[in-house]
Amino acid sequence: MKSTRTRLLAPAVLAVAALALVTACSESNSKATGPVSITVAGMPNNQQPELLNNFNRNIADFTKANPDVKVVGDEAVFDVRTFQALLAGGKLPTVFYVPFTEMQGLIARKQIADITSAIGADSMVSRINPSVMKVVKDSSDHVYGVPIQAYSMGLLYNRDLFKKAGLDPDKPPTTWDEVRADAKAIQAATGVQGFGSMTKDNTGGWVLTTMSYANGGTIESADGKNATVDNDATRDVLEFYRSLRWEDNTFGSNFLIGYNDAMKAFAGGKIGMFVQGADAYTTLVSNMGMKPDDFGLAPLPQGAQGLGALGGGTVAIINPRASAAEVKAAIKWLEFVNLRKYGSEQEAVADAKAKVADKQPVGAPALPLFDQATTDRYLGWVKDYVNVPRQNYAGYFATAQTLALVPEPPAKAQETYGALDAVVQAVLTRKDADIDALLKDAQRKVQAIIAAG
């Protein structure tokens, strides 16, 4: 019996020994692998030395505070034409940045990581405004991204050109009729194009949608099932474009202009006014050399039935192939770089000092991610380092909490914008363009985009 019992126990003893050996090897291998490594998109290139310096400083500071994480920068940025290929090919960086408009589709297709369990109760992520967090949640309140920037559309104007045209830069236009009149005044006095708009790479449709909202119309139904392009508000916007282009000649001559070209033209004093995201200060002033005192920002003018200003922003998503450790490290990175300054005076001041040293703006206009009290507290902490003439945006700030934010079209927003680009281009390039026919055709195309899922 004794020998039998010994023989029966032997496999179990061996199994325990084997398990101990595997565990020891596993622990040894785990220790050998070193820090968790994540790649982070959006690294500036060498043509943006100040921004690249800021990016690299963030990596150095983060690594010092989190020696168990290695961060590698990646210059990849969102492009609607290449994004799905990045995903499908498994080449998406661990942390990547997408527009608000992409989130619900990505969630529905299960193409990004569910990060709900990795967000702690005391995390700054959990304090972001609920209205903003809706963008990154599914119907079960699971979280799939971290909003890092929110914006509303506004009217950007060149304060220097306003002065030269005899206009008061502290009293920008509040109606579209006033925009038209001021565009005429700018062009007559300075010879500079009074008003402009982006027209390609989905930007023409983006601005058309923005202005349609401001005039009381929408592009899609609230549930995203139906196109609503063919409406009086959108028709009014196109008639406004036609008037400035063909009657006033204040719309310029380039009607195939994208985001970067329009921003460079505005920064260079070649456009008096255009509709753009109110968070454009850093790009225009820090990156493109516009004088801070020339940058003007006003609330988006509203028609009699105006719905408000289109709102959007940027969400940080995490590669669905990321391990649990990588997800945790990615969230640590996002909180460290983007959110911690709102919860700590020490961090807020340190961040502000570093930005000033890198010649980056502190206090630039933007739509707050957090409530007004949190925002005001942050601004109080960094008041000695604010290097932006915030008094020039008083009108925008006065309406930031009251002017309604209207979300972007809920279904296939980028594709919808692309379909509308052609409508804008047609009105600006053909004097006899049939606006009614263009809207009917766009209605059909957008409905087909929605139906295609």
Side-chain angles (χ1 to χ4, degrees), residues 265-301:
F266 183 72
K270 297 178 181 178
I271 297 176
M273 294 176 285
F274 78 134
V275 173
Q276 180 57 279
D279 60 339
Y281 181 95
T282 300
T283 300
L284 289 165
V285 176
S286 300
N287 301 356
M288 297 182 175
M290 188 175 190
K291 294 179 180 178
D293 287 335
D294 289 352
F295 177 88
L297 170 63
L300 190 71

Side-chain angles (χ1 to χ4, degrees), residues 57 101 128 140 149 170 175 184 195 213 236 247 255 258 278 323 330 335 337 340 354 364 392 443 453:
R57 190 192 68 247
T101 51
I128 294 174
S140 301
Q149 182 184 42
D170 293 327
T175 68
K184 288 182 183 179
F195 185 84
Y213 288 175
D236 288 345
E247 295 177 25
F255 305 114
S323 67
E335 291 199 327
V337 173
R340 63 179 177 146
N392 289 351
Q443 172 83 13

Side-chain angles (χ1 to χ4, degrees), residues 56-404:
N56 288 332
R57 190 192 68 247
N58 281 335
I59 291 180
D61 291 347
F62 176 80
T63 303
K64 183 177 180 180
N66 300 274
D68 57 334
V69 181
K70 179 182 178 181
V71 178
V72 179
D74 190 308
E75 292 183 9
V77 294
F78 177 80
D79 185 328
V80 69
R81 296 166 296 185
T82 59
F83 175 59
Q84 286 297 329
L86 276 177
L87 266 176
K91 296 181 179 180
L92 199 72
T94 316
V95 177
F96 195 76
Y97 304 96
V98 302
F100 277 19
T101 51
E102 295 297 306
M103 284 306 298
Q104 290 305 309
L106 290 169
I107 292 170
R109 295 189 295 271
K110 302 185 185 304
Q111 290 181 299
I112 49 178
D114 182 338
I115 62 174
T116 311
S117 61
I119 298 173
D122 59 345
S123 164
M124 283 300 295
V125 177
S126 65
R127 304 182 203 177
I128 294 174
N129 278 341
S131 60
V132 176
M133 285 298 291
K134 284 181 182 179
V135 173
V136 300
K137 290 184 175 183
D138 64 10
S139 57
S140 301
D141 266 354
H142 281 228
V143 179
Y144 292 84
V146 178
I148 62 163
Q149 182 184 42
Y151 74 87
S152 62
M153 297 294 273
L155 180 71
L156 272 60
Y157 65 99
N158 187 305
R159 292 174 59 87
D160 182 58
L161 291 175
F162 263 58
K163 292 175 185 176
K164 290 177 178 176
L167 302 170
D168 186 345
D170 293 327
K171 294 181 180 178
T174 59
T175 68
W176 295 112
D177 286 342
E178 290 177 358
V179 169
R180 183 179 180 184
D182 288 356
K184 288 182 183 179
I186 289 169
Q187 190 145 328
T190 69
V192 173
Q193 177 182 337
F195 185 84
S197 179
M198 302 169 287
T199 62
K200 69 174 186 177
D201 300 332
N202 304 347
T203 60
W206 179 45
V207 175
L208 179 62
T209 299
T210 298
M211 294 178 66
S212 183
Y213 288 175
N215 281 280
T218 60
I219 299 301
E220 294 178 2
S221 58
D223 60 8
K225 294 181 179 179
N226 297 297
T228 59
V229 175
D230 190 2
N231 63 68
D232 289 341
T234 309
R235 188 172 291 103
D236 288 345
V237 177
L238 295 172
E239 290 289 358
F240 175 76
Y241 278 9
R242 189 212 296 275
S243 298
L244 271 65
R245 167 67 176 99
W246 298 105
E247 295 177 25
D248 304 345
N249 194 29
T250 58
F251 217 113
S253 57
N254 184 1
F255 305 114
L256 284 174
I257 183 169
Y259 180 89
N260 285 331
D261 290 336
M263 294 285 273
K264 287 177 182 176
F266 183 72
K270 297 178 181 178
I271 297 176
M273 294 176 285
F274 78 134
V275 173
Q276 180 57 279
D279 60 339
Y281 181 95
T282 300
T283 300
L284 289 165
V285 176
S286 300
N287 301 356
M288 297 182 175
M290 188 175 190
K291 294 179 180 178
D293 287 335
D294 289 352
F295 177 88
L297 170 63
L300 190 71
Q302 298 292 299
Q305 305 298 319
L307 302 177
L310 180 147
T314 301
V315 175
I317 61 171
I318 297 176
N319 191 317
R321 303 185 185 193
S323 67
E326 289 167 343
V327 170
K328 184 178 179 180
I331 292 175
K332 275 187 178 181
W333 164 261
L334 292 168
E335 291 199 327
F336 188 91
V337 173
N338 299 107
L339 305 179
R340 63 179 177 146
K341 63 185 179 183
Y342 295 103
S344 161
E345 180 174 5
Q346 181 180 353
E347 300 296 350
V349 170
D351 176 78
K353 283 182 177 179
K355 284 185 175 176
V356 170
D358 288 342
K359 298 180 181 178
Q360 292 296 301
V362 176
L367 191 66
L369 278 178
F370 300 92
D371 59 40
Q372 192 63 51
T374 301
T375 303
D376 289 344
R377 183 182 64 178
Y378 163 74
L379 289 171
W381 287 338
V382 302
K383 65 181 185 301
D384 293 337
Y385 305 95
V386 170
N387 54 6
V388 168
R390 288 176 61 86
Q391 69 277 5
N392 289 351
Y393 328 124
Y396 174 78
F397 291 138
T399 64
Q401 299 291 330
T402 58
L403 184 62

